[in-house]
Amino acid sequence: MTAAVEHRGPAPSRAVLAPFARAGGRALMLGHVHPDADVLGTLLALGLALEGRGWSVAYGGPHPAPAALGFLPGVDRYRVLPGVEGAVDVVVLTDCPNPQRTEGLLEQARRAAGVVVNIDHHPDNRRYGDVNWIDVSAAATGEMVYELLQALGCPLTPAIAGNLFTAIHTDTGSFRYSNVTERTFRVAAALVAAGARPALVSEWLYERRAPDALAWLGEALRRVELSEDGRVAWLALPAGVLPERFIESEELVNYPRSIASVRVACLLREQDGAVKVSLRAKGDVDVQRIAAQFGGGGHPSAAGCTLAGRLSDALPRVLAAVSAALDPAPGGSRPAP
Ligand SMILES: [Mn+2]
């Protein structure tokens, strides 16, 4: 490749299609740290489609696929990669705004690969690929990969459809969030027609809690706090109060978010000398801007960041930033949302 290419539209351009156009090749589907269903579902869907066209495909990243996503068709092929060995024709990253989130694997892959393709819907994507397709109007990268497979003429097998449906299902909070559009439902309908099973996905995602999880959930919910004006709710978890396994298996930030008056919900979690922060907005507050103040990123209504130090220091800093975003100073420099 010579100069890097950037494409922003909802339909893939010829430059986006070109790396996948040939009949066979070698591809690495590269995930980022703590891969979620949008990452895994899209990597697996595109990889399985390429395999159907005679490609040889490897799947992996710095961390394993979470056990809760063990139902994704083909996820057993996804490996923890200590490094990237051997040459490949194409490396694909999906839903990965920041190349540092591959923990060095992208740099190794770049040396081994003909082309790096970056497919994402995050507004703060760093455009690190040779081909960068960034569609911020997509609710999930799953919508983009659906369009890509349609444009390539790849048949939607039930396995491919199940992966893409799960990607869209999770990134939209089960089709509930403000990122959901007519297109989301159109794509989801096509995926169900192709064999995705919505009830099965819901059962795997929401009805497979461990027997002790409800007691831990009670412990978590007891700690939710609400600001005086009711617009901010937060859940602050000191290290060790809840099992890691439980926290990883729940979207705990959704509980403070569910209070009617809340505009911004925060989950702060102390771990290994740092505090991981998840932010969610309902309506007009851009939490991506808040996360960016602390070196993080995400989407306008769902973002995250990590602060060094203790929970007792991080909590007031985060709440102050949220408060400033809710009530910008008169004449301040905050751009219109
Ligand atoms: Mn996503």
Side-chain angles (χ1 to χ4, degrees), residues 163-234:
N163 274 303
L164 292 180
F165 184 85
T166 309
I168 295 168
H169 193 282
T170 53
D171 260 31
T172 57
S174 314
F175 303 94
R176 287 180 299 129
Y177 295 157
S178 57
N179 57 0
V180 173
T181 64
E182 174 270 342
R183 169 189 174 188
T184 311
F185 286 108
R186 183 171 50 76
V187 172
L191 295 172
V192 173
R197 298 171 62 191
L200 187 78
V201 172
S202 296
E203 186 187 331
W204 269 92
L205 292 175
Y206 307 120
E207 294 174 6
R208 294 182 69 89
R209 284 191 167 104
D212 61 356
L214 294 191
W216 290 120
L217 188 56
E219 181 62 31
L221 299 186
R222 208 171 55 73
R223 294 170 178 270
V224 171
E225 294 183 69
L226 190 63
S227 64
E228 225 160 83
D229 63 11
R231 292 187 297 168
V232 186
W234 62 95

Coordinates of all heavy atoms in Angstrom, one line a residue, residues 163-234:
N163 N -23.3 -14.1 14.6 CA -22.2 -13.2 15.1 C -22.6 -11.8 14.9 O -22.4 -11.0 15.8 CB -20.9 -13.6 14.3 CG -20.2 -14.7 15.0 OD1 -19.8 -14.7 16.2 ND2 -19.9 -15.8 14.2
L164 N -23.1 -11.4 13.7 CA -23.4 -10.0 13.5 C -24.6 -9.5 14.3 O -24.6 -8.4 14.8 CB -23.6 -9.8 12.0 CG -22.4 -9.9 11.1 CD1 -22.8 -9.7 9.6 CD2 -21.3 -9.0 11.5
F165 N -25.6 -10.4 14.4 CA -26.8 -10.0 15.2 C -26.3 -9.8 16.7 O -26.8 -8.8 17.3 CB -27.8 -11.1 15.2 CG -29.1 -10.8 15.9 CD1 -30.1 -10.0 15.3 CD2 -29.3 -11.1 17.2 CE1 -31.2 -9.7 15.9 CE2 -30.4 -10.8 17.9 CZ -31.4 -10.1 17.3
T166 N -25.5 -10.6 17.2 CA -25.0 -10.4 18.6 C -24.2 -9.1 18.8 O -24.4 -8.4 19.8 CB -24.2 -11.6 19.1 OG1 -24.9 -12.8 18.8 CG2 -23.9 -11.5 20.6
A167 N -23.4 -8.8 17.8 CA -22.6 -7.6 17.8 C -23.6 -6.4 17.9 O -23.3 -5.5 18.7 CB -21.8 -7.5 16.5
I168 N -24.6 -6.4 17.1 CA -25.5 -5.2 17.1 C -26.4 -5.2 18.3 O -26.6 -4.2 18.9 CB -26.4 -5.3 15.8 CG1 -25.5 -5.1 14.5 CG2 -27.5 -4.3 15.8 CD1 -26.2 -5.5 13.2
H169 N -26.8 -6.4 18.8 CA -27.7 -6.5 20.0 C -27.0 -5.9 21.2 O -27.5 -5.2 22.0 CB -27.9 -8.0 20.2 CG -29.0 -8.4 21.2 ND1 -28.8 -8.3 22.5 CD2 -30.2 -8.8 21.0 CE1 -29.9 -8.7 23.1 NE2 -30.8 -9.0 22.2
T170 N -25.7 -6.2 21.4 CA -25.0 -5.8 22.6 C -24.7 -4.3 22.5 O -24.8 -3.6 23.5 CB -23.7 -6.6 22.8 OG1 -22.9 -6.6 21.6 CG2 -24.0 -8.0 23.2
D171 N -24.2 -3.8 21.3 CA -23.8 -2.4 21.2 C -25.0 -1.4 21.3 O -24.8 -0.2 21.5 CB -23.0 -2.1 19.9 CG -21.5 -2.1 20.2 OD1 -21.1 -2.8 21.1 OD2 -20.8 -1.3 19.4
T172 N -26.2 -2.0 21.1 CA -27.4 -1.1 21.2 C -28.2 -1.3 22.5 O -29.3 -0.8 22.6 CB -28.4 -1.4 20.0 OG1 -28.7 -2.8 20.0 CG2 -27.8 -1.1 18.7
G173 N -27.6 -2.1 23.4 CA -28.3 -2.4 24.6 C -29.6 -3.1 24.3 O -30.7 -2.7 24.8
S174 N -29.6 -4.1 23.5 CA -30.8 -4.8 23.1 C -31.7 -3.9 22.3 O -32.9 -3.9 22.6 CB -31.5 -5.5 24.2 OG -30.6 -6.2 25.1
F175 N -31.2 -3.1 21.4 CA -32.0 -2.3 20.6 C -32.7 -1.2 21.4 O -33.9 -0.8 21.0 CB -33.0 -3.1 19.7 CG -32.3 -4.1 18.9 CD1 -32.1 -5.4 19.4 CD2 -31.8 -3.8 17.6 CE1 -31.5 -6.4 18.6 CE2 -31.1 -4.8 16.9 CZ -31.0 -6.1 17.4
R176 N -32.1 -0.7 22.4 CA -32.7 0.3 23.3 C -32.1 1.7 23.2 O -32.7 2.7 23.6 CB -32.7 -0.1 24.7 CG -33.7 -1.3 25.0 CD -33.7 -1.7 26.5 NE -32.4 -2.2 26.9 CZ -31.7 -1.7 27.9 NH1 -32.1 -0.8 28.7 NH2 -30.5 -2.2 28.1
Y177 N -30.8 1.8 22.8 CA -30.1 3.1 23.0 C -30.4 4.0 21.8 O -30.9 3.7 20.8 CB -28.6 2.8 23.1 CG -28.2 2.0 24.3 CD1 -27.0 1.3 24.3 CD2 -29.0 2.0 25.4 CE1 -26.7 0.5 25.4 CE2 -28.7 1.2 26.6 CZ -27.5 0.5 26.5 OH -27.1 -0.2 27.7
S178 N -29.9 5.3 22.0 CA -30.1 6.3 21.0 C -29.4 6.1 19.7 O -29.6 6.8 18.7 CB -29.7 7.7 21.6 OG -28.3 7.7 22.0
N179 N -28.4 5.1 19.7 CA -27.7 4.9 18.4 C -28.6 4.0 17.5 O -28.2 3.8 16.3 CB -26.4 4.2 18.7 CG -26.5 2.9 19.5 OD1 -27.6 2.5 19.9 ND2 -25.3 2.3 19.8
V180 N -29.7 3.5 17.9 CA -30.5 2.6 17.1 C -31.2 3.4 16.0 O -31.8 4.5 16.3 CB -31.6 1.9 18.0 CG1 -32.5 1.1 17.1 CG2 -30.9 0.9 18.9
T181 N -31.2 3.0 14.8 CA -31.8 3.6 13.7 C -32.7 2.6 12.9 O -32.6 1.4 13.2 CB -30.8 4.2 12.7 OG1 -30.0 3.2 12.1 CG2 -29.8 5.2 13.4
E182 N -33.4 3.2 11.9 CA -34.1 2.3 11.0 C -33.2 1.3 10.4 O -33.5 0.1 10.2 CB -34.8 3.2 9.9 CG -35.5 2.5 8.8 CD -34.6 2.2 7.6 OE1 -33.5 2.8 7.5 OE2 -34.9 1.3 6.8
R183 N -32.0 1.7 10.1 CA -31.0 0.8 9.5 C -30.7 -0.4 10.4 O -30.5 -1.5 9.9 CB -29.7 1.6 9.1 CG -28.5 0.8 8.8 CD -27.3 1.7 8.7 NE -26.0 1.1 8.5 CZ -24.9 1.7 8.6 NH1 -24.8 3.0 8.9 NH2 -23.8 1.0 8.4
T184 N -30.6 -0.1 11.7 CA -30.3 -1.1 12.7 C -31.3 -2.3 12.6 O -30.9 -3.4 12.5 CB -30.3 -0.5 14.1 OG1 -29.5 0.6 14.1 CG2 -29.8 -1.5 15.1
F185 N -32.6 -1.9 12.5 CA -33.6 -2.9 12.4 C -33.6 -3.6 11.1 O -33.9 -4.8 11.0 CB -35.0 -2.3 12.7 CG -35.2 -1.9 14.2 CD1 -35.2 -0.6 14.6 CD2 -35.3 -3.0 15.1 CE1 -35.3 -0.3 16.0 CE2 -35.5 -2.7 16.5 CZ -35.5 -1.4 16.9
R186 N -33.3 -2.8 10.0 CA -33.3 -3.4 8.7 C -32.2 -4.5 8.6 O -32.4 -5.6 8.1 CB -33.0 -2.3 7.7 CG -33.0 -2.8 6.2 CD -33.0 -1.6 5.2 NE -31.9 -0.6 5.5 CZ -30.6 -0.8 5.3 NH1 -30.2 -2.0 4.7 NH2 -29.7 0.1 5.6
V187 N -31.0 -4.2 9.2 CA -29.9 -5.1 9.2 C -30.3 -6.3 10.1 O -30.1 -7.5 9.7 CB -28.6 -4.5 9.6 CG1 -27.5 -5.5 9.8 CG2 -28.2 -3.4 8.6
A188 N -30.8 -6.0 11.3 CA -31.2 -7.1 12.2 C -32.2 -8.0 11.6 O -32.1 -9.3 11.7 CB -31.7 -6.5 13.5
A189 N -33.2 -7.5 10.9 CA -34.2 -8.3 10.2 C -33.5 -9.2 9.2 O -33.9 -10.4 9.1 CB -35.2 -7.4 9.5
A190 N -32.6 -8.7 8.4 CA -31.9 -9.5 7.4 C -31.1 -10.6 8.1 O -31.1 -11.8 7.6 CB -31.0 -8.7 6.5
L191 N -30.5 -10.3 9.2 CA -29.7 -11.3 9.9 C -30.6 -12.4 10.5 O -30.3 -13.6 10.5 CB -28.9 -10.7 11.0 CG -27.8 -9.7 10.5 CD1 -27.2 -8.9 11.7 CD2 -26.8 -10.4 9.7
V192 N -31.8 -12.0 11.0 CA -32.7 -13.1 11.5 C -33.2 -13.9 10.4 O -33.3 -15.2 10.5 CB -33.9 -12.4 12.3 CG1 -34.9 -13.4 12.7 CG2 -33.4 -11.7 13.6
A193 N -33.5 -13.3 9.3 CA -33.9 -14.1 8.1 C -32.8 -15.1 7.7 O -33.1 -16.1 7.2 CB -34.2 -13.1 6.9
A194 N -31.6 -14.7 7.9 CA -30.4 -15.6 7.5 C -30.1 -16.6 8.6 O -29.1 -17.4 8.4 CB -29.2 -14.7 7.2
G195 N -30.8 -16.6 9.7 CA -30.6 -17.7 10.7 C -30.2 -17.2 12.1 O -30.0 -18.1 13.0
A196 N -30.0 -15.9 12.3 CA -29.7 -15.5 13.7 C -30.9 -15.8 14.6 O -32.1 -15.6 14.1 CB -29.4 -14.0 13.7
R197 N -30.7 -16.1 15.9 CA -31.8 -16.5 16.7 C -31.9 -15.5 17.9 O -31.1 -15.7 18.9 CB -31.6 -17.9 17.2 CG -31.6 -18.9 16.0 CD -31.3 -20.3 16.3 NE -32.2 -20.9 17.3 CZ -31.9 -22.0 17.9 NH1 -30.8 -22.7 17.7 NH2 -32.8 -22.5 18.8
P198 N -32.7 -14.5 17.9 CA -32.8 -13.5 18.9 C -33.0 -14.0 20.3 O -32.3 -13.6 21.3 CB -33.9 -12.6 18.5 CG -34.1 -12.8 17.0 CD -33.7 -14.2 16.8
A199 N -33.9 -15.0 20.5 CA -34.2 -15.5 21.8 C -33.0 -16.2 22.4 O -32.7 -16.1 23.6 CB -35.4 -16.4 21.8
L200 N -32.3 -16.9 21.6 CA -31.1 -17.7 22.0 C -30.0 -16.7 22.5 O -29.4 -16.8 23.5 CB -30.6 -18.5 20.9 CG -29.4 -19.5 21.3 CD1 -30.0 -20.7 22.0 CD2 -28.7 -19.9 20.0
V201 N -29.8 -15.6 21.7 CA -28.8 -14.6 22.1 C -29.2 -13.9 23.4 O -28.3 -13.8 24.3 CB -28.7 -13.5 20.9 CG1 -27.9 -12.3 21.4 CG2 -28.2 -14.2 19.7
S202 N -30.5 -13.6 23.6 CA -30.9 -12.9 24.8 C -30.7 -13.9 26.0 O -30.3 -13.5 27.1 CB -32.4 -12.6 24.7 OG -32.6 -11.6 23.7
E203 N -31.0 -15.1 25.8 CA -30.8 -16.1 26.9 C -29.4 -16.2 27.3 O -29.0 -16.2 28.5 CB -31.4 -17.5 26.5 CG -31.4 -18.4 27.7 CD -31.8 -19.9 27.2 OE1 -32.5 -20.0 26.3 OE2 -31.3 -20.8 27.9
W204 N -28.5 -16.3 26.3 CA -27.1 -16.4 26.6 C -26.5 -15.1 27.3 O -25.7 -15.2 28.2 CB -26.3 -16.7 25.4 CG -26.1 -18.1 25.1 CD1 -26.9 -18.9 24.3 CD2 -25.0 -18.9 25.6 NE1 -26.4 -20.2 24.3 CE2 -25.2 -20.3 25.1 CE3 -23.9 -18.7 26.4 CZ2 -24.4 -21.3 25.4 CZ3 -23.1 -19.8 26.7 CH2 -23.3 -21.1 26.2
L205 N -27.1 -14.0 26.9 CA -26.5 -12.7 27.4 C -27.1 -12.4 28.8 O -26.4 -11.8 29.6 CB -26.8 -11.6 26.4 CG -26.0 -11.6 25.1 CD1 -26.5 -10.5 24.2 CD2 -24.5 -11.5 25.3
Y206 N -28.4 -12.7 29.0 CA -29.1 -12.2 30.2 C -29.6 -13.2 31.2 O -30.1 -12.9 32.2 CB -30.2 -11.2 29.8 CG -29.7 -10.2 28.8 CD1 -30.2 -10.0 27.6 CD2 -28.7 -9.3 29.2 CE1 -29.8 -9.1 26.7 CE2 -28.2 -8.4 28.3 CZ -28.7 -8.2 27.1 OH -28.3 -7.3 26.2
E207 N -29.6 -14.5 30.8 CA -30.3 -15.4 31.6 C -29.4 -16.6 32.0 O -29.8 -17.8 32.1 CB -31.6 -15.9 31.0 CG -32.6 -14.8 30.9 CD -33.8 -15.1 30.1 OE1 -34.0 -16.2 29.7 OE2 -34.6 -14.2 29.9
R208 N -28.1 -16.3 32.1 CA -27.1 -17.3 32.5 C -26.3 -16.9 33.7 O -25.1 -17.1 33.7 CB -26.2 -17.7 31.3 CG -27.1 -18.3 30.2 CD -26.2 -18.7 29.0 NE -25.3 -19.9 29.3 CZ -25.6 -21.1 29.2 NH1 -26.8 -21.5 28.7 NH2 -24.8 -22.1 29.5
R209 N -26.9 -16.2 34.6 CA -26.1 -15.7 35.8 C -25.7 -16.9 36.7 O -26.5 -17.9 36.7 CB -27.0 -14.8 36.6 CG -27.1 -13.4 36.1 CD -27.7 -12.5 37.1 NE -27.6 -11.1 36.7 CZ -28.6 -10.3 36.2 NH1 -29.8 -10.8 36.0 NH2 -28.4 -9.1 35.9
A210 N -24.6 -16.8 37.3 CA -24.2 -17.7 38.3 C -25.2 -17.7 39.5 O -25.8 -16.6 39.8 CB -22.8 -17.4 38.8
P211 N -25.4 -18.8 40.3 CA -26.3 -18.8 41.4 C -26.1 -17.7 42.4 O -27.1 -17.1 43.0 CB -26.2 -20.2 42.0 CG -25.6 -21.0 40.9 CD -24.7 -20.1 40.1
D212 N -24.8 -17.3 42.6 CA -24.6 -16.3 43.7 C -24.6 -14.9 43.1 O -24.5 -13.9 43.9 CB -23.2 -16.5 44.3 CG -22.0 -16.5 43.3 OD1 -22.3 -16.3 42.1 OD2 -20.9 -16.6 43.7
A213 N -24.9 -14.7 41.8 CA -24.8 -13.4 41.2 C -25.9 -12.4 41.8 O -25.6 -11.2 41.9 CB -24.9 -13.5 39.7
L214 N -27.0 -12.9 42.1 CA -28.1 -11.9 42.6 C -27.7 -11.4 43.9 O -28.0 -10.2 44.2 CB -29.4 -12.6 42.6 CG -30.0 -13.0 41.2 CD1 -31.5 -13.4 41.4 CD2 -29.9 -12.0 40.2
A215 N -27.1 -12.2 44.8 CA -26.6 -11.6 46.1 C -25.6 -10.6 45.9 O -25.6 -9.5 46.5 CB -26.1 -12.8 46.9
W216 N -24.6 -10.8 44.9 CA -23.6 -9.8 44.6 C -24.2 -8.6 44.0 O -23.8 -7.4 44.3 CB -22.5 -10.4 43.7 CG -21.6 -11.4 44.4 CD1 -21.5 -12.7 44.0 CD2 -20.8 -11.2 45.5 NE1 -20.6 -13.3 44.9 CE2 -20.2 -12.4 45.8 CE3 -20.5 -10.1 46.3 CZ2 -19.3 -12.6 46.9 CZ3 -19.7 -10.2 47.4 CH2 -19.0 -11.5 47.6
L217 N -25.3 -8.8 43.2 CA -25.9 -7.6 42.6 C -26.6 -6.8 43.6 O -26.5 -5.5 43.6 CB -27.0 -8.2 41.6 CG -27.7 -7.2 40.7 CD1 -26.7 -6.3 39.9 CD2 -28.7 -7.9 39.7
G218 N -27.2 -7.4 44.6 CA -27.8 -6.7 45.8 C -26.7 -5.8 46.5 O -26.9 -4.6 46.8
E219 N -25.5 -6.4 46.6 CA -24.4 -5.7 47.3 C -24.0 -4.5 46.4 O -23.7 -3.4 47.0 CB -23.3 -6.7 47.4 CG -22.0 -6.1 48.1 CD -22.3 -5.6 49.5 OE1 -23.1 -6.2 50.2 OE2 -21.6 -4.7 49.9
A220 N -24.0 -4.7 45.1 CA -23.6 -3.6 44.2 C -24.7 -2.5 44.2 O -24.4 -1.3 44.4 CB -23.5 -4.1 42.8
L221 N -26.0 -2.8 44.1 CA -27.1 -1.8 44.0 C -27.2 -1.0 45.3 O -27.5 0.2 45.2 CB -28.4 -2.5 43.7 CG -28.4 -3.3 42.4 CD1 -29.8 -3.8 42.1 CD2 -27.9 -2.4 41.2
R222 N -26.9 -1.6 46.4 CA -26.9 -0.9 47.7 C -25.9 0.3 47.7 O -26.1 1.3 48.4 CB -26.4 -1.9 48.8 CG -26.9 -1.7 50.2 CD -26.5 -2.9 51.0 NE -25.1 -3.2 51.0 CZ -24.1 -2.5 51.6 NH1 -24.4 -1.4 52.3 NH2 -22.9 -2.9 51.6
R223 N -24.9 0.3 46.8 CA -23.9 1.3 46.8 C -24.2 2.4 45.8 O -23.4 3.3 45.6 CB -22.5 0.7 46.5 CG -22.0 -0.3 47.5 CD -20.8 -1.1 47.1 NE -20.4 -1.9 48.1 CZ -19.4 -1.6 49.0 NH1 -18.9 -0.4 49.0 NH2 -19.1 -2.4 50.0
V224 N -25.3 2.3 45.0 CA -25.6 3.4 44.0 C -25.9 4.7 44.8 O -26.7 4.7 45.7 CB -26.7 2.9 43.1 CG1 -27.2 4.1 42.2 CG2 -26.3 1.7 42.3
E225 N -25.3 5.8 44.3 CA -25.6 7.1 44.9 C -26.1 8.0 43.9 O -25.8 7.9 42.7 CB -24.3 7.6 45.6 CG -23.8 6.8 46.7 CD -22.6 7.4 47.4 OE1 -22.8 8.5 48.0 OE2 -21.5 6.8 47.3
L226 N -26.8 9.0 44.3 CA -27.5 10.0 43.4 C -27.2 11.4 43.9 O -27.2 11.7 45.1 CB -29.0 9.7 43.5 CG -29.9 10.4 42.5 CD1 -29.6 10.0 41.1 CD2 -31.4 10.2 42.9
S227 N -26.9 12.2 42.9 CA -26.6 13.6 43.2 C -27.8 14.3 43.7 O -29.0 13.9 43.5 CB -26.1 14.4 42.0 OG -27.1 14.4 41.0
E228 N -27.7 15.5 44.4 CA -28.8 16.2 45.0 C -29.9 16.5 44.0 O -31.1 16.4 44.3 CB -28.3 17.4 45.7 CG -28.9 17.6 47.1 CD -28.0 18.6 47.9 OE1 -28.3 19.8 47.7 OE2 -27.2 18.2 48.7
D229 N -29.4 16.9 42.8 CA -30.4 17.3 41.8 C -30.9 16.1 41.0 O -31.8 16.3 40.1 CB -29.8 18.4 40.8 CG -28.6 17.8 40.0 OD1 -28.4 16.6 40.1 OD2 -27.9 18.7 39.4
G230 N -30.4 15.0 41.3 CA -30.9 13.7 40.7 C -30.4 13.5 39.3 O -30.8 12.5 38.6
R231 N -29.5 14.4 38.8 CA -29.1 14.2 37.4 C -27.9 13.3 37.2 O -27.6 12.9 36.1 CB -28.8 15.6 36.7 CG -30.0 16.4 36.6 CD -29.7 17.7 35.8 NE -28.7 18.5 36.5 CZ -28.1 19.6 36.0 NH1 -28.3 19.9 34.8 NH2 -27.2 20.2 36.7
V232 N -27.2 13.0 38.3 CA -26.0 12.1 38.2 C -26.1 11.0 39.2 O -26.4 11.3 40.4 CB -24.7 12.9 38.5 CG1 -23.5 12.1 38.2 CG2 -24.6 14.2 37.6
A233 N -25.9 9.8 38.7 CA -25.9 8.6 39.6 C -24.6 7.9 39.4 O -24.1 7.8 38.3 CB -27.1 7.7 39.4
W234 N -24.0 7.4 40.5 CA -22.8 6.7 40.4 C -22.7 5.5 41.3 O -23.4 5.4 42.3 CB -21.6 7.6 40.6 CG -21.5 8.2 42.0 CD1 -20.8 7.7 43.0 CD2 -22.1 9.4 42.4 NE1 -20.9 8.5 44.1 CE2 -21.8 9.5 43.8 CE3 -23.0 10.3 41.9 CZ2 -22.2 10.6 44.6 CZ3 -23.5 11.4 42.6 CH2 -23.1 11.5 44.0

